[in-house]
Amino acid sequence: MEMPPVVSKEEWNAARAMLLVREKALTRARDAMAAERRRMPRLAVEKEYAFEGPDGPARLLDLFEGRRQLVVYRFFYEPGVVGYPEAGCRGCSQVADQVSHLSHLNARDTTLVFVSRAPQEKIATWRARMGWQVPWYTLTDDFDRDFDVGEWHGTNAFYRDDEDRIFRTYFVDRRGDEAMGSYYSYLDITALGRQETWEDSPAGYPQTPPYVWINLHDEYGDPTEFAQAKSDAAASQRGSRYTTM
């Protein structure tokens, strides 16, 4: 294996500085792409979809759990998948292993769920073995086919307005969603983004100063509305070290 040369500290720092310029450019390009996503036209979801959850039948609206945004990952777990029912798709399982604590997404008024064609009893067993906490629903109709995940994995983002109308706002699959898992990666594909003041967002989008909403995962309470998450009443939950940043 041919390894790069061993150099002095000065040469290493110079090489790092050169690379950092390109890395910063990549970061800015990623931010610009997320800004374009926030300006994507929205597709009204007018069809009623039915799911089966651990507590029984559920509508697409129910999957939001009262929050403003919903991210749905189609996990490939069903008859025909290698290892089923003892195991699901290995690639999807690695994505599931990457998912950060859900409270950080929930604090940004966003819910993440998995959907599959496996029945709930199989999902419950497999989910328990792997220790995953993401809510997981069974597909019962054409939702997967209608939203481009009929035969493979993929991630759809949805937005719910004040009248409970639902809109599809984004979709990513293939290599595009292999790196999903951190709460920032999910927020960057949503209609509202990270909801911070530095972001290039359309006028009127909810925004707070950077970091003020970040908290320990067990100290958020349950801020399911953006107004509650940024309110003075929630300041103690956010932690004093973040309230002035």
Side-chain angles (χ1 to χ4, degrees):
M1 182 170 60
E2 288 191 28
M3 297 291 289
V6 177
V7 298
S8 68
K9 181 177 180 180
E10 291 74 17
E11 291 173 305
W12 191 92
N13 286 339
R16 174 73 185 103
M18 290 180 62
L19 188 59
L20 184 60
V21 172
R22 297 179 63 186
E23 289 176 338
K24 289 297 184 182
L26 180 61
T27 297
R28 295 186 185 99
R30 185 183 65 216
D31 292 339
M33 181 60 68
E36 289 190 38
R37 294 189 190 110
R38 292 190 288 279
R39 290 168 172 82
M40 274 275 294
R42 302 181 183 187
L43 177 66
V45 179
E46 299 178 350
K47 185 176 177 179
E48 288 289 337
Y49 291 99
F51 305 84
E52 191 71 25
D55 298 321
R59 304 165 297 164
L60 182 59
L61 182 62
D62 297 324
L63 272 56
F64 282 77
E65 297 180 352
R67 301 186 179 94
R68 182 68 62 188
Q69 302 188 122
L70 172 68
V71 177
V72 181
Y73 179 66
R74 201 280 203 215
F75 193 116
F76 206 49
Y77 180 50
E78 60 189 58
V81 174
V82 174
Y84 180 84
E86 286 73 24
C89 166
R90 291 181 179 270
C92 295
S93 298
Q94 287 190 338
V95 170
D97 281 339
Q98 295 170 174
V99 175
S100 59
H101 202 285
L102 297 175
S103 62
H104 303 302
L105 265 181
N106 297 164
R108 289 288 85 180
D109 221 359
T110 303
T111 299
L112 171 68
V113 303
F114 293 164
V115 295
S116 299
R117 286 209 165 269
Q120 278 296 298
E121 60 268 23
K122 301 297 184 186
I123 288 175
T125 301
W126 173 230
R127 182 173 177 261
R129 171 189 162 185
M130 300 304 289
W132 296 323
Q133 300 301 313
V134 179
W136 200 336
Y137 294 85
T138 299
L139 295 160
T140 68
D141 52 28
D142 293 334
F143 177 89
D144 50 353
R145 286 180 283 274
D146 289 351
F147 292 100
D148 303 305
V149 287
E151 297 181 355
W152 207 239
H153 63 85
T155 303
N156 276 283
F158 299 91
Y159 177 84
R160 176 183 65 88
D161 71 8
D162 291 336
E163 298 177 8
D164 283 342
R165 294 177 300 183
I166 299 174
F167 303 88
R168 188 192 194 191
T169 59
Y170 193 67
F171 171 69
V172 62
D173 64 353
R174 300 181 184 273
R175 290 195 64 196
D177 68 351
E178 68 182 6
M180 303 301 291
S182 73
Y183 58 90
Y184 281 136
S185 69
Y186 288 117
L187 291 176
D188 282 346
I189 68 168
T190 63
L192 300 181
R194 302 187 188 191
Q195 304 166 44
E196 296 181 351
T197 51
W198 63 269
E199 286 184 299
D200 175 11
S201 293
Y205 274 42
Q207 291 184 317
T208 57
Y211 309 121
V212 300
W213 62 278
I214 293 178
N215 201 4
L216 300 177
H217 72 249
D218 62 349
E219 292 186 3
Y220 279 113
D222 187 22
T224 58
E225 296 292 338
F226 180 87
Q228 180 182 351
K230 71 175 184 177
S231 69
D232 291 339
S236 61
Q237 293 183 351
R238 294 195 295 265
S240 59
R241 65 177 296 190
Y242 297 117
T243 56
T244 59
M245 295 180 67

